[in-house]
Amino acid sequence: MAGQWFESVAEAHRRAKKELPKSVYGALVAGSEAGATLEDNMAAFRELQFLPHVCDLPFEKDLSTTVMGQDISMPVIISPTGVQAVDPEGEVAVARAAKNAGTAMGLSSFASRSVEDVLEANEKTFFQMYWVGDRETLAARAERAKKAGAKGLIVTLDWSFSHGRDWGSPAIPEKMDLKTMIKYIPEGVTRPRWGLRMLRAGKVPDLTVPNIPVGGEDPPTFFGAYGQWMFTPPPTWADVAWLREQWDGPFCVKGITRIDDAKRAVDAGATAIQVSNHGGNNLDSTPAPIRVLPGIVEAVGREVEVILDGGVRRGSDVVKALALGARAVAIGRAYLWGLAANGQPGVENVFEILRSGIGSGLMGLGKSSVHDLAPEDLIIPPNFTRQAVS
């Protein structure tokens, strides 16, 4: 929309805070416990520095790459996040924005829109699964995604149910019925534009998750699915290898921060790994992914694609991650803030901010392609990296 353009992800964040009810906004910004990991995810990028050139700089710059078999126009993809109640169209709006940006969508199994709807909006969609249910159920869920046309499977393993927050956890309702809506009227009054967006679209946030059912049963609420997840025994590496056998396309293991885990993921048949600490929402005091990336790339980067998420807010952050060996980055909060600020155009706005920043970084470093970036393009301070168990 005219007049809604923002020039930075930080500005999208500020607008999202003004736009969203307190409880919805709180769910987006929250990190676990003291938030030490959440803070380090962003602070670590600021410790890395560039030494730019001033002449013989490239005029033409190639940002394109491939991730999990998909050609993308820039090394940034959508990381899967749960129920996106910040906009009436939710994940479908994000998928369309990613398509218009020429990149891929990661869809959460805890999303508010079905894998079928999202793939209709963007055929370059990867389906993400938590370890919820028995093997038969998991295989059926993967088969559903395959039939819908998902181009890859992302298995998220980084979760320990460590969610207590020093500043308080946001209150998220079980479902949006009349009683609940009345309860949240005071919040809605303070953020009327968000409520009007929902009303104009003729819908309220749907807190059910349609990607969990594998038969004809009704979709569970978010917390119903969360409960199933909590009471499913955590997978073994043998379980991961079994699921890999059920999926004959690109297969990514998300949540890696240790070299030994990266190697086990490779042994289990992963074609990609996502270096991640769940956006600071897992075990607090885990180091930022950018700190452990170099050791993981050195250990397994010749065998699998390495994707990074966590703390990416600028195109320069993307350049730093690629210089340290990542194939691409996945963004989470950045696009959710764009979605809250201005719907689908807001997500497209975020992509353009990152695209511009990547281009500027390449020019300054004298590189014509994202594939030319290397550690030598950075000043890496002593003790920056964390060597996490080989």
Side-chain angles (χ1 to χ4, degrees), residues 193-206:
R193 287 185 300 182
W194 180 80
L196 286 172
R197 279 167 65 183
M198 296 294 177
L199 289 173
R200 289 193 188 108
K203 61 179 71 174
V204 295
D206 188 353

Side-chain angles (χ1 to χ4, degrees), residues 176-333:
M176 290 302 290
D177 54 18
L178 180 60
K179 181 179 179 181
T180 302
M181 286 189 282
I182 291 172
K183 177 182 176 182
Y184 281 87
I185 282 175
E187 281 196 32
V189 168
T190 64
R191 298 291 187 270
R193 287 185 300 182
W194 180 80
L196 286 172
R197 279 167 65 183
M198 296 294 177
L199 289 173
R200 289 193 188 108
K203 61 179 71 174
V204 295
D206 188 353
L207 300 181
T208 61
V209 286
N211 295 313
I212 291 296
V214 294
E217 66 268 27
D218 292 334
T221 65
F222 176 83
F223 283 107
Y226 189 89
Q228 292 179 39
W229 183 19
M230 287 187 70
F231 290 102
T232 299
T236 64
W237 284 112
D239 289 325
V240 175
W242 165 82
L243 184 59
R244 175 68 180 108
E245 292 173 358
Q246 316 307 308
W247 185 270
D248 57 7
F251 185 90
C252 178
V253 175
K254 179 179 180 292
I256 301 296
T257 58
R258 296 168 56 110
I259 291 173
D260 54 352
D261 278 351
K263 291 178 177 178
R264 295 298 298 271
V266 172
D267 291 343
T271 62
I273 59 172
Q274 194 159 327
V275 180
S276 172
N277 55 35
H278 218 99
N281 279 300
N282 189 24
L283 194 62
D284 203 21
S285 296
T286 301
I290 193 70
R291 295 190 190 278
V292 299
L293 177 66
I296 290 171
V297 168
E298 183 179 2
V300 301
R302 288 178 292 275
E303 300 171 83
V304 292
E305 297 176 6
V306 180
I307 304 163
L308 175 137
D309 77 73
V312 175
R313 303 290 186 268
R314 299 167 183 81
S316 59
D317 295 338
V318 181
V319 171
K320 291 171 182 178
L322 269 58
L324 292 181
R327 170 67 65 92
V329 305
I331 56 172
R333 288 183 179 87

Side-chain angles (χ1 to χ4, degrees), residues 39-60:
E39 292 172 7
D40 194 43
N41 282 359
M42 294 176 286
F45 279 106
R46 293 194 288 270
E47 294 179 27
L48 297 169
Q49 295 178 308
F50 297 125
L51 272 177
H53 294 284
V54 296
C55 206
D56 294 327
L57 306 180
F59 181 72
E60 298 292 337

